Amino acid sequence: DASGDAIYIIDPRTFAYVDVNEAAARLHGVSREALRALGVRGAFPDRFDDAGLRARYDELIAQHPRALTEERQIPRADGRLVWAESIRRAVQVDGEWLVISVMRDITERKASQAKLELMHQAINAAPDAIVVIDPVTLAYVDVNEATAQMYGTTREQLLARGARQGLQGDAS
């Protein structure tokens, strides 16, 4: 319970939560008891059917001790979806397989990535030359297509060159 990450212990035969921590309950927006009662099928009602879950857990057990990492959306009790990074691993305890799943809320990171991608698209769509330079290394962080066209080269060549070599001699 001291972990900030959501931790789930899953019985791969029954899809029941053997246990979950408080962070898992917060991620789903329910109490620990309610989340344990839901089990995997109840916590992800539209995501998996029994055959799909069984195949996922069988694959995880077959790949033991390797972990599987993925990003997925978690449905909360209030209807919102939150993004989480999930790391799952099969472990054997007293001859029985269990699946340990650790999830971290990455909703803010995904929102920041989407905002950054939107900004990148806007810069590339701009008709004016835009160059972003790292002030410490003088490396080009990014240049838009208008800059490459203005200097008759490619974005990749400009990025490789950097601000130290500059743009001199490229323009006609």
Side-chain angles (χ1 to χ4, degrees):
D1 276 329
S3 175
D5 292 338
I7 301 174
Y8 309 76
I9 302 173
I10 303 160
D11 182 332
R13 291 171 295 123
T14 64
F15 314 129
Y17 288 136
V18 175
D19 202 4
V20 297
N21 68 350
E22 285 296 329
R26 282 192 306 274
L27 188 63
H28 288 270
V30 297
S31 69
R32 279 178 80 171
E33 294 74 26
L35 185 55
R36 277 195 296 258
L38 285 171
V40 177
R41 282 181 290 220
F44 299 93
D46 300 327
R47 177 145 181 169
F48 303 111
D49 60 10
D50 284 1
L53 273 175
R54 179 121 9 254
R56 288 172 67 85
Y57 291 146
D58 287 349
E59 176 186 352
L60 204 56
I61 290 167
Q63 293 179 7
H64 171 77
R66 201 180 109 202
L68 176 65
T69 302
E70 69 179 358
E71 293 179 355
R72 64 163 60 155
Q73 288 189 298
I74 307 295
R76 288 180 43 90
D78 61 11
R80 289 186 308 129
L81 291 174
V82 295
W83 278 99
E85 178 183 60
S86 168
I87 302 170
R88 290 187 317 275
R89 176 185 315 266
V91 296
Q92 209 167 23
V93 177
D94 296 330
E96 298 293 326
W97 285 104
L98 295 173
V99 172
I100 308 297
S101 180
V102 179
M103 291 193 200
R104 175 171 291 153
D105 187 339
I106 59 168
T107 304
E108 288 182 23
R109 182 176 82 194
K110 293 293 269 187
S112 293
Q113 286 173 335
K115 187 176 179 180
L116 185 60
E117 180 59 32
L118 184 62
M119 189 68 101
H120 192 262
Q121 290 172 2
I123 287 171
N124 277 330
D128 297 320
I130 298 175
V131 179
V132 181
I133 301 172
D134 181 313
V136 175
T137 65
L138 295 181
Y140 290 148
V141 176
D142 202 2
V143 298
N144 68 350
E145 287 299 325
T147 305
Q149 289 175 4
M150 185 168 107
Y151 288 96
T153 188
T154 66
R155 291 179 68 217
E156 291 74 21
Q157 289 171 330
L158 286 173
L159 290 170
R161 182 176 305 150
R164 287 195 192 275
Q165 290 180 342
L167 299 172
Q168 307 90 305
D170 289 41
S172 303

